Amino acid sequence: YRFICATLESSTKLQKLREKLWDRSDALDRPLITLLWLCKNRSKLNPWLDGIALLGLSTSLSILYMGSANVPMLLLLWLCQRSLMSVGGPWYGYGWEPQLAELNFHALFLAPLFSLQQINLSSPVPSITIWAIRWYLFRIMMGAGLIKLRSNDPKWFQTWSAMDYFYETQPVPNPFTKYFHFMPKWWHRFEVG
């Protein structure tokens, strides 16, 4: 093992290869933001990954307990998530993680800067933030609809039965799932249309 590590450290070709594999960027060639840049020994990432996950978990639990958040807390959560996404590979290549990171980024502009007091409902919200969140929601809904249209699945437009089993198989069921699943067939046809 030490021989392999020494060989990796001494070879300039292998160093360049490691930099190419390690210094990752997204599809638009933007560098991935990660707390793992602070790691000196990149061959021992497990303690760093555990630490980032625990930091995110403890920050989330403190926000849940206090019932409010501020910009540094949300920024820390965003950094933890982006750090785990940067090494997640194809696991984080699906739509949910980047969408959640984007929504967390938008939330940075809704939270108070340093105060942990709850936001007054009459306080003004920047209109650019509201429009950015609306655009985000529009993209999600339009994308979901376009994927269904492109699938050419007969359950959508021939039998109109796509929602018959959706509530059994959705990724994150909620307490109302059981009730929606047992709605009459005409209701499920209405949901598809």
Side-chain angles (χ1 to χ4, degrees), residues 9-51:
E9 297 287 328
S10 64
S11 173
T12 57
K13 287 183 181 179
L14 291 176
Q15 284 291 331
K16 287 181 182 180
L17 179 65
R18 189 183 92 181
E19 287 173 8
K20 290 256 186 220
L21 293 175
W22 177 261
D23 298 331
R24 299 180 60 184
S25 60
D26 64 4
L28 298 175
D29 204 28
R30 297 175 296 202
L32 292 174
I33 298 170
T34 178
L35 293 172
L36 296 172
W37 288 337
L38 302 173
C39 179
K40 299 281 188 229
N41 187 356
R42 293 182 177 167
S43 64
K44 297 181 180 176
L45 283 181
N46 283 344
W48 277 85
L49 294 173
D50 291 342

Side-chain angles (χ1 to χ4, degrees), residues 36-94:
L36 296 172
W37 288 337
L38 302 173
C39 179
K40 299 281 188 229
N41 187 356
R42 293 182 177 167
S43 64
K44 297 181 180 176
L45 283 181
N46 283 344
W48 277 85
L49 294 173
D50 291 342
I52 290 170
L54 287 173
L55 180 64
L57 180 65
S58 61
T59 306
S60 298
L61 289 175
S62 66
I63 290 172
L64 182 66
Y65 177 74
M66 290 185 291
S68 62
N70 57 20
V71 170
M73 295 172 90
L74 291 176
L75 184 62
L76 185 63
L77 284 176
W78 184 74
L79 282 172
C80 289
Q81 183 181 21
R82 295 296 296 180
S83 297
L84 295 176
M85 286 173 60
S86 71
V87 294
W91 180 259
Y92 288 110
Y94 301 108

Side-chain angles (χ1 to χ4, degrees), residues 109 112 169 172 180:
F109 300 101
T169 60
V172 185
F180 282 118

Side-chain angles (χ1 to χ4, degrees), residues 91-152:
W91 180 259
Y92 288 110
Y94 301 108
W96 294 112
E97 290 298 326
Q99 287 173 358
L100 190 59
E102 182 181 349
L103 188 60
N104 191 2
F105 183 77
H106 291 313
L108 287 170
F109 300 101
L110 295 174
L113 190 58
F114 293 111
S115 172
L116 285 173
Q117 299 297 320
Q118 291 184 349
I119 299 174
N120 188 357
L121 292 177
S122 63
S123 65
V125 176
S127 60
I128 189 87
T129 304
I130 296 298
W131 282 103
I133 292 173
R134 286 177 181 166
W135 176 245
Y136 164 81
L137 293 172
F138 172 78
R139 285 188 353 244
I140 288 176
M141 297 304 286
M142 186 60 74
L146 290 174
I147 286 173
K148 290 171 180 68
L149 288 174
R150 288 183 61 202
S151 71
N152 292 328

